[in-house]
Amino acid sequence: MLPSTEADRPLCPLVTPAPLNPSTLATTHRPAYIPRSSDPSALAYSFTVPGDPRSAAVVRATVRSVLRTHGLTAIEEAALSVAGELVACATRFAPGQDIYHSLRWCDGALRIVNWDAHHAHSDTRQAARCTACRKRTLLLLAAVVHECRGTWGISKAGSTAEGTRVWARLPLPGA
């Protein structure tokens, strides 16, 4: 069976796509090449998405797949909310710029880090107003993290070219 559109064709001419089996498409959300493990200690993923509001859906789908792969479904809903809010906020502060997203398991908690290219302001008043605006934008994230007995924060301003890092830590018992 040949691919139906140009976008479905592999870039490598040596790869022949396997025919799609519709019955298996809806049964799994995790990539076939990642073995399922109930040990979350190996959870360490980083990826970049475009600074577009639609990227939040991509990030949520990836986070869901990662958590299910590592047996962390108990923390899934909270993590999906946090990840989606982080990306949605980043797209407002740095539209069109790449957004870096990271998931790590550390000391019984999921650590989610989001970096966007919105630079630090040199004027301290402008920097304070910008940080306050970002915090207001992340009120839902703050509520979810609080309910999970986790923590979150915005990186301190560094040089004007570094961008902004926002992180959240969701402990498994709280979620």
Side-chain angles (χ1 to χ4, degrees):
M1 171 183 228
L2 293 175
S4 58
T5 66
E6 186 68 32
D8 294 334
R9 291 192 183 121
L11 294 177
C12 177
L14 301 177
V15 174
T16 305
L20 295 177
N21 181 352
S23 65
T24 61
L25 291 178
T27 60
T28 181
H29 290 286
R30 63 185 172 83
Y33 58 89
I34 300 175
R36 183 173 290 275
S37 168
S38 60
D39 179 20
S41 64
L43 192 153
Y45 297 83
S46 300
F47 53 97
T48 304
V49 294
D52 182 283
R54 295 172 289 191
S55 293
V58 173
V59 169
R60 283 192 301 267
T62 304
V63 169
R64 176 182 284 117
S65 179
V66 165
L67 294 177
R68 289 180 180 181
T69 297
H70 290 278
L72 292 169
T73 56
I75 201 169
E76 185 176 317
E77 289 305 314
L80 293 177
S81 294
V82 167
E85 289 298 306
L86 286 172
V87 173
C89 179
T91 62
R92 291 187 64 205
F93 279 85
Q97 302 292 316
D98 284 346
I99 298 168
Y100 170 81
H101 202 77
S102 171
L103 303 166
R104 299 277 185 269
W105 186 258
C106 184
D107 298 327
L110 179 67
R111 183 169 169 89
I112 303 173
V113 178
N114 202 78
W115 178 89
D116 63 64
H118 184 76
H119 65 279
H121 298 280
S122 55
D123 181 291
T124 54
R125 283 188 218 163
Q126 286 179 340
R129 284 182 58 210
C130 188
T131 300
C133 182
R134 192 179 285 258
K135 285 181 178 180
R136 281 191 308 275
T137 303
L138 293 169
L139 283 176
L140 178 60
L141 172 138
V144 170
V145 171
H146 176 75
E147 284 297 314
C148 295
R149 296 186 301 268
T151 55
W152 74 282
I154 300 172
S155 64
K156 292 189 190 280
S159 82
T160 56
E162 285 185 7
T164 303
R165 183 176 62 106
V166 183
W167 56 271
R169 185 179 179 279
L170 300 172
L172 185 58

